[in-house]
């Protein structure tokens, strides 16, 4: 139900999820409140389903165009480029994820489902560790050293008076690579 997902994301970004009600979602989506209850048990169920769907979409976008024949460096840089492209193309979804990732509504089951969809990316980092190309640490820590700088720099660049208005993201990708390679 795309209209509903967009309504949840839009309203959450505008007024914060705690201030979102089922009736506000229904109104924004152009449906009746009773129709929402066909798809969702309650507000928390709606949040969980929307967050999981959006986060999985992000993981799939980040893994796009990754080939097993590429070097680890090429794969990591492609993942970084994909992450930036996702953030640029789906900024509202990205901001929703950012706002929601520490919500008490996020469950272990949701995280496990999301992890299953990020397995391809994790495997690239595991391979890089095993081959001695990447630092010998958790692949999740290495992935974080790629994603978080890109996310934070993107957010800074979006500010009206940003100190980083003309950021060369190829340089950012190289810096991410330099931070994780052995």
């Amino acid at each position: 139900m795309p209209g509903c997902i967009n309504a949840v994301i839009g309203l959450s970004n505008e007024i914060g999820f705690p201030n979102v009600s089922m009736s506000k979602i229904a109104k924004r989506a152009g449906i009746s409140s009773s129709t929402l209850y066909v798809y969702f048990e309650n507000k928390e169920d709606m949040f969980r389903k929307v967050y999981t769907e959006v986060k999985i979409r992000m993981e799939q976008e980040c893994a796009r165009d990754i080939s097993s024949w590429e070097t680890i460096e090429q794969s990591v840089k492609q993942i970084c480029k994909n992450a930036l492209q996702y953030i640029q193309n789906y900024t509202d979804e990205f901001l929703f994820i950012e706002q929601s990732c520490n919500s008490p509504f996020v469950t272990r089951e949701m995280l496990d489902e999301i992890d299953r969809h990020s397995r391809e990316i994790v495997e690239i980092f595991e391979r890089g560790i095993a081959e001695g190309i990447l630092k010998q640490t958790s692949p999740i820590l290495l992935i974080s050293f790629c994603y978080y700088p890109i996310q934070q720099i993107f957010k800074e660049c979006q500010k009206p008076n940003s100190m980083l208005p003309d950021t060369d993201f190829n340089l950012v990708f190289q810096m991410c690579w330099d931070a994780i390679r052995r």
Side-chain angles (χ1 to χ4, degrees):
M1 166 156 242
C4 183
I5 291 170
N6 293 337
V8 171
I9 291 168
L11 283 169
S12 294
N13 289 344
E14 290 167 25
I15 62 175
F17 187 73
N19 300 315
V20 173
S21 66
M22 296 295 270
S23 61
K24 288 178 184 175
I25 296 295
K27 184 176 181 180
R28 173 73 64 97
I31 59 175
S32 71
S33 292
S34 59
T35 302
L36 273 180
Y37 289 99
V38 170
Y39 298 99
F40 308 109
E41 293 175 27
N42 53 39
K43 179 178 159 180
E44 291 78 16
D45 180 56
M46 179 178 59
F47 167 82
R48 288 182 179 110
K49 288 177 179 171
V50 170
Y51 178 80
T52 302
E53 182 173 326
V54 170
K55 185 71 171 161
I56 288 170
R57 183 173 22 244
M58 183 187 128
E59 294 295 335
Q60 290 169 335
E61 287 294 316
C62 289
R64 193 174 32 79
D65 300 326
I66 305 298
S67 300
S68 59
W69 56 267
E70 290 180 321
T71 66
I72 296 297
E73 181 177 5
Q74 289 169 325
S75 294
V76 168
K77 286 183 178 178
Q78 185 63 49
I79 292 166
C80 290
K81 288 176 185 176
N82 290 346
L84 176 62
Q85 232 174 18
Y86 173 82
I87 293 167
Q88 290 171 326
N89 294 338
Y90 302 98
T91 303
D92 287 342
E93 287 186 9
F94 164 69
L95 294 173
F96 174 75
I97 291 168
E98 284 279 291
Q99 177 186 167
S100 304
C101 65
N102 294 316
S103 167
F105 298 126
V106 175
T107 65
R108 181 77 252 159
E109 293 79 20
M110 291 167 59
L111 296 174
D112 290 343
E113 182 176 349
I114 293 164
D115 286 349
R116 284 191 293 279
H117 292 274
S118 64
R119 194 71 210 134
E120 184 178 359
I121 292 172
V122 172
E123 287 172 356
I124 290 166
F125 284 82
E126 288 173 340
R127 191 177 96 214
I129 294 165
E131 293 175 8
I133 297 166
L134 299 178
K135 291 185 168 120
Q136 300 293 308
T137 188
S138 160
I140 302 304
L141 182 60
L142 297 175
I143 292 168
S144 297
F145 266 81
C146 293
Y147 282 5
Y148 293 138
I150 293 166
Q151 294 170 352
Q152 297 307 315
I153 292 168
F154 174 81
K155 288 191 296 189
E156 176 60 35
C157 289
Q158 300 307 300
K159 294 179 181 175
N161 296 322
S162 172
M163 296 177 68
L164 299 170
D166 300 320
T167 301
D168 177 1
F169 273 94
N170 286 319
L171 176 60
V172 174
F173 302 148
Q174 185 62 48
M175 292 172 74
C176 291
W177 173 252
D178 291 343
I180 66 170
R181 71 184 168 103
R182 197 160 196 209

